[in-house]
Amino acid sequence: MGLVVPLPNGAWLNAVFYKSHIPDLGTIESLASTIAAALVLCLFGFISTRRIARPLQALAQAAEGLGRGEGVSPVTERGSDDIRNLCVAFNQMQHRLHRFIDDRTRMLAAIGHDLRTPLTTLRLRTELVADEELKARMVETIEEMQAMTAATLTFSKNDAAVEDTRNVDLGALVGSLCDDMAELGHDIAFVDSGVIAYRCRPDGLKRAVRNLIENACRYADSATVSLALTGNSVDICVDDQGPGIPLEEIEQVFAPFYRLEQSRSRETGGVGLGLSIARAIARQHGGNIHFSPNTPGLHAVLSLPRI
């Protein structure tokens, strides 16, 4: 510090003060202990967060796999009491869901199998009817019931079959299906969208897309198939120029054995399980199927969640 003061006699007083800085060792030690304590707390928080996050992450992955219809092993019951109870509840829910699906599948298979015997008996007794016109109508009805029974058995068997999921090129999968159906005489145009890697059950997904294409070809004689990537989904689109579906029946067509074609002819309307099976497969993958007018025709979208 410097000080300069004028004196009355005209002279100047100059003064300088200097003191060396002595560090405060107590402050440095306090700062070091604070930093060390903060580091210890951060490390403890990180370990605690990881301990909580790991079982939650495993539970989230298991829930995602279960929602996509994959075979998921029971989640390890670990972590805090609340997280452990959550894992226990999830494992119980998964067991109940599988048991419900198995019971339903066995019931459908049993019903379809048991119906074969009385239908065969009715068919034999029909041969004793003298009226040929009545006999033909009865035979047609019995054949329709037999076709519905066979379709129910097929549906239950496919529902019971567990196909492993694997990564595939979705564009190549749909493209090869369109080529195969085109070789069978269907008028199908496929719009190639490049390589789209996706994890799915390929056989089941091909069956769902095939049902949509066959539905379009049945009523419109042709179909255009394309793939599109959106923010949250991968869409397989099937467009046709046919008569379409009335708005009030767009959701009803997904009901089992529901047919728009009122003549009940198996040649023109099938048995009414194709769209039900297609939507069931889509939902097993965590997706869905939606219909909308194509003006003219129908715009069908099989939407799958992006992974």
Side-chain angles (χ1 to χ4, degrees), residues 45-63:
F46 175 77
I47 295 174
S48 301
T49 303
R50 292 288 295 174
R51 186 171 179 268
I52 296 174
R54 282 182 179 177
L56 288 178
Q57 184 179 9
L59 183 62
Q61 292 175 350

Side-chain angles (χ1 to χ4, degrees), residues 85-138:
N85 292 335
L86 181 61
C87 294
V88 171
F90 176 82
N91 290 334
Q92 292 177 348
M93 178 194 69
Q94 182 179 198
H95 174 70
R96 290 167 183 165
L97 284 175
H98 288 317
R99 186 176 60 186
F100 169 77
I101 293 174
D102 292 341
D103 291 343
R104 188 198 66 170
T105 302
R106 284 194 295 268
M107 181 187 67
L108 287 175
I111 292 174
H113 183 271
D114 292 344
L115 282 176
R116 286 181 169 181
T117 300
L119 286 175
T120 303
T121 303
L122 282 175
R123 180 65 183 270
L124 293 175
R125 291 178 179 177
T126 303
E127 299 298 329
L128 302 177
V129 177
D131 189 335
E132 293 297 330
E133 182 178 356
L134 177 60
K135 177 180 177 180
R137 291 181 179 178
M138 293 176 65

Side-chain angles (χ1 to χ4, degrees), residues 59-306:
L59 183 62
Q61 292 175 350
E64 175 67 19
L66 182 64
R68 293 171 54 82
E70 298 181 4
V72 179
S73 302
V75 178
T76 303
E77 299 167 2
R78 59 178 180 175
S80 62
D81 292 340
D82 293 336
I83 297 177
R84 188 161 50 250
N85 292 335
L86 181 61
C87 294
V88 171
F90 176 82
N91 290 334
Q92 292 177 348
M93 178 194 69
Q94 182 179 198
H95 174 70
R96 290 167 183 165
L97 284 175
H98 288 317
R99 186 176 60 186
F100 169 77
I101 293 174
D102 292 341
D103 291 343
R104 188 198 66 170
T105 302
R106 284 194 295 268
M107 181 187 67
L108 287 175
I111 292 174
H113 183 271
D114 292 344
L115 282 176
R116 286 181 169 181
T117 300
L119 286 175
T120 303
T121 303
L122 282 175
R123 180 65 183 270
L124 293 175
R125 291 178 179 177
T126 303
E127 299 298 329
L128 302 177
V129 177
D131 189 335
E132 293 297 330
E133 182 178 356
L134 177 60
K135 177 180 177 180
R137 291 181 179 178
M138 293 176 65
V139 169
E140 182 180 356
T141 301
I142 293 173
E143 288 179 349
E144 180 184 355
M145 294 177 66
Q146 288 176 333
M148 294 172 67
T149 302
T152 302
L153 281 172
T154 302
F155 176 72
S156 63
K157 289 178 181 178
N158 290 330
D159 198 28
V162 179
E163 180 188 357
D164 294 333
T165 59
R166 63 178 187 269
N167 291 318
V168 298
D169 179 2
L170 202 57
L173 181 74
V174 178
S176 64
L177 173 63
C178 292
D179 293 338
D180 294 341
M181 297 186 69
E183 291 179 358
L184 297 177
H186 295 290
D187 184 6
I188 302 173
F190 175 66
V191 181
D192 192 358
S193 302
V195 177
I196 300 178
Y198 195 77
R199 185 173 181 82
C200 64
R201 291 182 293 279
D203 293 340
L205 195 58
K206 286 178 68 174
R207 185 183 184 192
V209 178
R210 183 187 295 111
N211 288 351
L212 292 178
I213 296 176
E214 288 178 346
N215 188 71
C217 292
R218 178 180 295 117
Y219 294 102
D221 298 326
S222 64
T224 301
V225 184
S226 60
L227 280 78
L229 290 174
T230 64
N232 299 318
S233 65
V234 180
D235 295 341
I236 303 174
C237 306
V238 180
D239 296 281
D240 64 63
Q241 302 295 319
I245 299 176
L247 291 177
E248 63 273 11
E249 295 187 84
I250 279 184
E251 283 299 316
Q252 297 180 24
V253 296
F254 292 104
F257 304 112
Y258 184 88
R259 294 187 295 188
L260 290 172
E261 204 274 324
Q262 297 300 322
S263 69
R264 310 302 294 178
S265 171
R266 288 184 287 116
E267 286 74 17
T268 58
V271 297
L273 269 180
L275 293 179
S276 300
I277 293 173
R279 173 171 273 191
I281 294 173
R283 288 180 172 176
Q284 288 171 0
H285 283 80
N288 208 343
I289 295 179
H290 303 283
F291 286 161
S292 60
N294 201 28
T295 59
L298 189 68
H299 177 64
V301 178
L302 194 162
S303 182
L304 300 170
R306 296 186 68 173

